[in-house]
Amino acid sequence: MVGQASVQLSRKEREFLQHRGEIIHTAERVFSQKGYVSTTMEEIARQAEFAVGTLYKFFTNKADLHAEILRTKLNQMEQEGYEVIDTGKTPVEQIERYFNWRLEFFWENREFFRLLQESTGTVCDSRAGSSPDILHRYQRFLSRVEAIFDEGIRTHEFRPLGARILTLSLEGMLRAYLSHLERQSDPQRNEKEEKTLFEVFAQGGIR
């Protein structure tokens, strides 16, 4: 059905989607490099090789464009994350798969990680073009993880420390580690280090 729908698009519609995608891709890179406040629509247009007026045919303003990048990536994150979680047969396996996927997602989407940190991190710029539902969706995603911990506590796979405490501990560990990597000029993936990180969490949370 998806393929059939794509064939039915007119040339003008295909060009519209292509140009919109190019703008979003370029804007994500520029925002991640310069931050929301320092980025201008003129800079995005220049790097995307479009006239500034063209950008405003697709997006109302800079905040609208920034929020659309977050929404697009969050859609991808939610879909991939839920699919990964569902492949686990037990709560412990689900959490381990989720943990590994978060690391994979970081390495494949480092520019988005910077944008998400700017919009939802502890040091958050309120001007960062954040749509009201961005933080809500992020919290909803963590609620799914919390539900897994809750089930694992009931089945005695996790220590009875509280599902929220386990969720916040895992999330805090992940975000601290990824922020550490992001601060490096040329971070290199270390799978042994990643495995050790999960083992540290497992020693405190898994029975």
Side-chain angles (χ1 to χ4, degrees):
M1 294 295 293
V2 175
Q4 292 177 358
S6 298
V7 173
Q8 294 174 2
L9 293 176
S10 67
R11 181 177 61 83
K12 187 174 182 179
E13 289 170 328
R14 291 196 302 271
E15 288 180 352
F16 177 90
L17 293 176
Q18 179 183 345
H19 291 167
R20 188 175 187 275
E22 291 172 357
I23 292 169
I24 289 176
H25 178 73
T26 301
E28 182 180 354
R29 184 180 70 251
V30 178
F31 279 131
S32 70
Q33 292 172 346
K34 304 185 69 172
Y36 177 80
V37 176
S38 298
T39 296
T40 64
M41 291 290 270
E42 288 76 12
E43 174 69 9
I44 295 171
R46 185 182 66 78
Q47 293 203 29
E49 299 183 343
F50 286 108
V52 177
T54 301
L55 268 62
Y56 288 103
K57 293 180 181 179
F58 295 89
F59 302 98
T60 305
N61 49 40
K62 184 173 72 169
D64 180 36
L65 174 53
H66 186 274
E68 182 58 26
I69 294 170
L70 291 175
R71 281 193 293 266
T72 299
K73 282 293 185 178
L74 280 173
N75 287 340
Q76 177 188 347
M77 187 177 183
E78 287 181 334
Q79 181 178 351
E80 289 184 9
Y82 293 145
E83 288 176 355
V84 167
I85 287 171
D86 289 341
T87 62
K89 296 181 180 179
T90 67
V92 169
E93 190 174 312
Q94 287 178 315
I95 290 299
E96 185 171 8
R97 288 176 184 243
Y98 165 76
F99 178 89
N100 292 331
W101 165 75
R102 280 289 300 275
L103 294 170
E104 290 283 352
F105 194 88
F106 166 80
W107 289 108
E108 294 174 0
N109 302 274
R110 285 182 56 200
E111 292 173 345
F112 168 68
F113 178 81
R114 296 191 194 106
L115 268 64
L116 189 63
Q117 285 288 89
E118 186 179 36
S119 297
T120 65
T122 53
V123 180
C124 178
D125 194 318
S126 61
R127 297 168 293 177
S130 182
S131 174
D133 69 332
I134 298 298
L135 187 57
H136 171 72
R137 291 179 61 183
Y138 177 67
Q139 294 297 336
R140 184 178 65 189
F141 190 77
L142 290 185
S143 294
R144 177 70 175 88
V145 177
E146 185 175 335
I148 297 172
F149 278 121
D150 192 45
E151 175 63 20
I153 290 173
R154 285 199 298 268
T155 58
H156 306 290
E157 295 175 61
F158 291 106
R159 298 181 187 278
L161 304 174
R164 180 162 299 178
I165 292 299
L166 288 170
T167 301
L168 294 176
S169 297
L170 181 64
E171 181 66 10
M173 179 178 287
L174 276 167
R175 294 189 69 163
Y177 181 65
L178 297 180
S179 294
H180 162 71
L181 292 174
E182 191 55 50
R183 286 193 296 270
Q184 299 179 20
S185 58
D186 184 28
Q188 301 295 319
R189 187 165 189 181
N190 187 328
E191 294 186 2
K192 182 178 180 180
E193 193 172 73
E194 294 175 359
K195 183 178 179 181
T196 300
L197 191 66
F198 185 77
E199 289 174 351
V200 169
F201 173 79
Q203 288 174 4
I206 299 177
R207 283 184 178 272

